[in-house]
């Protein structure tokens, strides 16, 4: 076997929550995240919160209830014998996909649930919050605190989904209503394109050290990553418009076979939410319809479109190991949900030499890696083992978070995953290429 | 109210509204009907009113808006130059199927419209009501008064649809919520079965004389109706349970070819809304889940099931001419929406000798007649010509109204129509047979 | 009741086969028809005979075997105890839809049967033919002779289906192969358009007297038919091209609601088998691709297209009673399968005054009548009761036979039926209108 | 024949055909392979060869023609100006998926092509064979010889597909016909289960050295493969029956989410071609229906079933790198198409210590690796670049060949790929597990 110089630090194969959890800090964080979820729906009517626009998307009210069910089921009902469920039936209505817990109301029919109403779901949330605090006051065991931490992360995932699903719903209304007022970005020009490179090395991939991570980010392990270049910033609209103008959607040689079949059967000729108005393109955003800004990262493209664009550009998509290598050590800064912009923006600052910009926030970046278990991966025992592991087929990994991701939710080892044809997430493109 | 055509009199090929309309009485009737529609939704949340449970059914809010759009489009916008539409975009959102008026929001996507909200639709109603009164005050031409009368009838049709569509929606909720409290019927025993007969005759069929009717009830014309017998009352649950117990749903020889294919592909083995609970059947109603009452007319059966039951019973369904012959001259009395029972009930009184009972109300009765134009039928000119005529294919005629039909809306010549596979209407069975 | 003068002769409510059957003549007719079926396939390869191009169509080999199964099942197996089926499994493979007989190989999978091969099916035919003759030699009971007669008619129906289904199959081949060489029609100009009229009368409808008829043509009964006009000849291509040029396929006001939905979802803009070649239309026929001849009756239109054309032309389709009234007493002459033209032709002779031309042959003529039982209709007892009765829903009646119908198979009371969207039959249009 | 890369040697990034090709040997090999393809169809009727049983499968005639089209298109038409295509239209009919070459007859409609008939396709083959020999006689350039070699391999792939597709077709016939007589395996007992292990190492993966390989097996590259164990032989029927008896198909916790959805919607409860007969299972094979032999490798399972079985067994599927590590250096021996058994057999010989058995032949072994490009992969320029690269999404890699693979076609670096739900290939299971 060839020996390869180690380039990175040895791994800390720590347990997922390595240090004793400070329950007090966790309680505050719980409160912050729970409030933030509700705040997302402040400007919505009960009607906005009940409708399901497609099987992939869920109503906001369902998100509000499901995240609460998560704490009720995995924390309160395990915490002590005395807790009784808020209301019979909710254990079926708001179970997403945990077969180990029991039956589930079918996903495509989440929008049929007009009752309980939004007010009752808010009462459900308040009730569970109160019980969580009582449990913390009584002192919760370490494994429950770990579940609490997981529930907080879980709720942040659903904060993002509330926004992505709501965007889809509002887009189905021909009146094109807005969720929030538009916030202008300071600078409208994209950073110039360019490449940064990394040498061949045996890299440590996956999460190590302290801090929360999901099970799918572990075990931390070594992987031989050949030398590669990765784009300094995501692909922007002006570049994507060039691809379109060059007939990108009409040239089969640019597309994966499944991608070509998809764009033909779906009639796609632009990213999701793009609207043709006579000779120009507009796009629907959470702030209504606007022009296509040339310097903004292109968003709402499928894996197929990302892959075809890369081929057109003479490049390819990065593997997740390459992406993680490039992102490793970068500060988690960028255009996140907290900016309330809710749309990608041109890079607001120039790159440090040899470092990528916008690697976090703005758009989730498709990688060419299928979502698969890391070597030695073991899902947790019990129902929470269904959280991630059973989805490790047919999906592709995306990295880096987006403009609707909470900032505190993301990290360089974070693995998001969607089907190649999915477009309703805030998904975009960063190019890569080998070094020969 | 509606006058009923005298038996076998010569036809008056009158215009649809033969006598000068008294605008004042019409205004009061307008007000009554408009208020009744809103009252149907009083106990509903905005969430109940926005969701669409299947393409055939529309949200209550859509019904509230569409009926208003009808008056706005066909009355106010034609009434005088000065009326301006309440809000741009509504002409598309709330146009049901009038191609002559313009584009329509796709029917299966009526449930995507969370905005305008229920409150704005109520304001829309109030605005249009006010304008209608202003128009009446100014004095409306006879053709507009005729449209007003049509709009009132149209709104009553949608009152019934609000209830049928809402029932379907609530049935999709595994919590099985109720719309209204249950009202018991006085008597629980069905009238005894039996037959009444009519001689062969050239019968006058269709609407004549005064009073409102739809275009599809005309022209009044003669038809040779052979001697027949018709059941004195509708088929009741105890009889339908016998059919089921005898393997009715498993014997292909009882079914039309399309019916057999349908029950197999859909997995039907009982009427819609019937729920198996261990060894017995329950049914979901607008007042929640209840037992199957033996004496109540069976309801929510498709044409296929009605036809198969009839074959099993050694009978057949009546033609619409036979049905009309039997109903002609009977008083329009029975279990209608006004009873607030919202469910069929056993016949509350014995029949007059030789006369049917429950011929009006309780359940719409499938006939074996395909919905087709009467000889010489001409749809009205213009957009209102799309009201009925373009549906004269693939559907079967039902007669008599149901427990969710407003009493003042029905008459013996009234022709309702649905596809043979439709079950979400309050549709039931009355048998007939020839006399040899 | 108004009295109406009888205009026609009293009915002969004869049994279906009224006079004693001459078995000898029947045997000859059996032989002729059986040979004709095989002859239709003489120019076909085994490959042509095995493939199924859509669920509605069956492979020629299946037709060859199914018609044989019909005699085997309903004649030989009933004829005497000694007959044993030709081969186990055939009773499932070649049962079309007779639930009373037993299970059926699913219709959409008839094309999966590569074995038995065509040669074995031919042997099956020969074996059954021989047994039929043995049975006739032994002397068959009257009811079996009646079945024999029915089987002969049944086989003729399948002769037509072999041609219609084969045309569909060959049309799926981009090489556009021909079944038979083209035979030119003598005259290329259509008869001039025009109308003939009939007075209001109580008409006898349905089959009476001697000779074979299907159960659905009975009982013969009286029907009041109002005065009407009917077109002297079918609609021809030049007229249909005018309809197309006038935007017929783009004007919703011309279409039934279901028709408009169908042409939009299917993308129809011309009859089936029409091919656009740059600015002109061609059509695929059993003799390959040819130009559209202006004087030929338009063919391969759905009911929806026939209905829309009629509305565009300011007319309507005839009812089946009107059609039968017009055809009654006309000689059964015209362009039938025997001409080997296998395509409609311009009328070869002018009409007798007041009489229609091409009422038989050329194209099946859509009527506006839904396929329904005649008053007092009773299907035969047993499995043969499934022959016609169970299809009396959702289909429309066509009359008169076509250029692929055997001449001896058709008569004025003959009722054919297909779904409104079906186009692969040789279906065309004859207009009618009321007299006011 | 194929040389097998030496274990862990440095890579030779050679061109695909590294040494000068001996055209004479290639011609002989061409002839052998072409004859073998035709021989596969010797016992088939033209009817067997024309029908398409599902979109995934193609008719044997199409395979015969397509492989010929491959040589015509990529060899003869490039070889010299003078070659003219055998027949206009074939370039569309028999193009599989090469968009760069031109339009394609739609894949799901390959079974519509009754003409050209089987005889004409045989003539097409003879014509092209003759022209290939003429070209070789004239002396073909190295790049054309490379295409010839590729075409031979391509034809071998289609030999396997002829058998898999034919098996599916015959299984659709309720008569369950056999393709070939049954050949018994000598020994009926499976080798005992067990594990062999490999140490962590940087492994060379992919094809190096001489001999043919497909582009997707390159570039040869290093990959860090952690220590692992792999099963000494494939999973056999007795083990799979245990999984079934233990409720394997009814326990969601064993399944990937997409897998669970698939087995529920498809109603799977056993491998493809298994038939329940009262209380026992039989299976359909190319030699007809037989009992389930306990010691035969289980075959015709989807990836989902392979993955669920592995989870039930406390193991997992191997990665393709692990599989290749285990297979590296093993002789290419086993139960291949040449045995004419056409069904997996129990291992006929015990393993060498520390070495797997049945690693080649019998069943394709699902790996847990998604089909993806190797680092630095570049598809060939031109139309042949569509051969493999555009399928690198949504599919999983299978390794090792099967009982219907030609022996000379397989090697340890060979990558086959199918969708996780596909079952009609001869796909089976070999377990793996990590070493902690």
């Amino acid at each position: 076997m060839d020996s390869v110089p180690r380039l990175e630090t040895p791994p800390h194969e720590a347990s997922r929550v390595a240090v004793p959890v400070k329950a007090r800090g966790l309680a505050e964080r719980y409160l912050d995240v729970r409030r933030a979820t509700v705040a997302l729906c402040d400007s919505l009517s009960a009607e906005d919160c009940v409708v399901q626009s497609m099987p992939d998307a869920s109503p906001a009210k369902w998100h509000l209830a499901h995240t609460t069910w998560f704490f009720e089921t995995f924390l309160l009902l395990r915490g002590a014998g005395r807790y009784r469920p808020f209301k019979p039936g909710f254990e079926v209505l708001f179970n997403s996909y945990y077969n180990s817990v029991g039956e589930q109301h079918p996903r495509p029919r989440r929008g049929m649930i007009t009752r309980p109403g939004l007010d009752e779901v808010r009462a459900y949330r308040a009730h569970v919050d109160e019980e969580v605090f009582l449990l913390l006051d009584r002192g919760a065991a370490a494994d429950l605190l770990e579940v609490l931490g997981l529930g907080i992360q879980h709720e942040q995932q659903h904060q993002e989904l509330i926004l992505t699903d709501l965007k889809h719903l509002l887009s189905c209304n021909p009146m094109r209503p807005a969720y929030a007022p538009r916030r202008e970005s300071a600078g409208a020009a994209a950073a110039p394109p360019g490449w940064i490179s990394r040498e061949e090395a045996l890299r440590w991939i996956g999460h190590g050290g302290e801090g929360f991570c999901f099970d799918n980010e572990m075990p931390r392990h070594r992987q031989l990553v050949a030398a590669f270049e990765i784009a300094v910033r995501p692909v922007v609209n002006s570049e994507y418009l060039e691809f379109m103008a060059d007939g990108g959607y009409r040239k089969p040689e640019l597309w994966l076979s499944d991608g070509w079949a998809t764009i033909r059967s779906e009639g796609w000729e632009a990213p999701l939410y793009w609207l043709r108005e006579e000779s120009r393109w507009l796009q629907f955003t959470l702030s209504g319809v606007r022009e296509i800004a040339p310097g903004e990262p292109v968003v709402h493209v499928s894996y197929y479109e990302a892959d075809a664009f890369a081929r057109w550009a003479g490049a390819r998509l990065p593997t997740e190991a390459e992406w993680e290598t490039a992102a490793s050590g970068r500060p988690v800064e960028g255009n996140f949900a907290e900016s309330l912009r809710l749309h990608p923006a041109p890079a607001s600052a120039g790159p440090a030499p040899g470092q990528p910009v916008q690697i976090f926030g703005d758009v989730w970046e498709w990688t060419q890696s299928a979502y698969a278990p890391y070597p030695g991966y073991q899902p947790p025992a019990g129902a929470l083992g269904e959280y991630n592991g059973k989805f490790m087929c047919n999906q592709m990994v995306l990295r880096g978070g987006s403009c609707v991701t909470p900032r505190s939710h993301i990290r360089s080892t974070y693995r998001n995953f969607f089907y190649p044809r999915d477009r309703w997430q805030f998904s975009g493109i960063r190019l890569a290429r080998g070094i020969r």
Side-chain angles (χ1 to χ4, degrees), chain A residues 143-261:
Chain A
D143 63 329
L144 287 184
L145 292 180
E146 196 173 341
V147 167
L148 183 66
L150 178 63
I152 290 169
Q153 298 288 336
H154 172 257
E155 179 125 2
Q156 287 187 305
Q157 292 182 311
H158 283 275
Q159 288 172 3
E160 175 156 358
L161 290 174
I162 285 173
L163 292 169
T164 51
D165 293 357
L166 183 72
K167 183 170 182 178
H168 189 268
L169 170 62
L170 295 179
S171 80
C172 294
N173 189 327
M175 315 281 279
R176 312 277 179 213
Y179 164 70
R182 180 170 175 179
R183 301 206 176 200
E184 291 301 329
S185 335
W195 301 91
I196 58 177
S197 62
R198 295 290 182 269
E199 295 300 308
E200 183 183 52
L202 263 186
R203 305 276 181 186
W204 284 103
I205 298 295
H207 190 261
E210 301 180 0
F212 174 86
C213 79
F214 286 109
D215 58 355
N216 62 8
E217 300 169 53
M218 300 200 299
R220 186 162 165 85
H221 61 285
R222 288 175 307 161
Q223 188 175 333
L224 180 63
V225 180
F228 68 96
E229 290 186 313
I230 195 167
V232 75
R233 61 150 172 78
V235 171
V236 296
N237 285 329
S238 62
E239 292 159 347
Y240 202 82
L241 283 161
E242 273 185 73
F243 164 71
M244 289 166 60
D246 193 40
Y249 282 87
R250 296 189 303 274
K251 296 182 175 172
E253 63 269 24
L254 296 175
W255 296 80
L256 288 165
S257 180
D258 288 351
W260 183 246

Side-chain angles (χ1 to χ4, degrees), chain A residues 36-98:
Chain A
T37 310
V38 172
L40 284 176
C41 302
D42 275 350
S43 65
L44 299 177
S45 68
E47 294 170 71
D48 291 332
C49 292
V50 71
V51 171
Q52 180 173 32
S53 58
M54 64 168 171
D56 286 334
S58 298
K61 185 174 75 179
W62 187 90
H63 288 298
L64 291 170
H66 163 68
T67 48
T68 304
W69 167 91
F70 191 95
F71 288 111
E72 185 178 56
T73 302
F74 295 116
L75 191 66
L76 298 180
L77 285 169
R78 291 179 177 185
R82 72 160 201 97
Y83 181 80
R84 291 181 44 230
F86 180 71
K87 191 159 180 181
F90 281 22
E91 75 279 5
V92 170
L93 282 185
F94 302 124
N95 180 357
S96 51
Y97 53 66
Y98 294 88

Side-chain angles (χ1 to χ4, degrees), chain A residues 249 257-269 304 421:
Chain A
Y249 282 87
S257 180
D258 288 351
W260 183 246
T262 300
I263 66 168
R264 300 249 289 188
S265 68
E266 299 289 331
W268 291 349
E269 49 179 20
Y304 298 129
R421 67 180 303 145

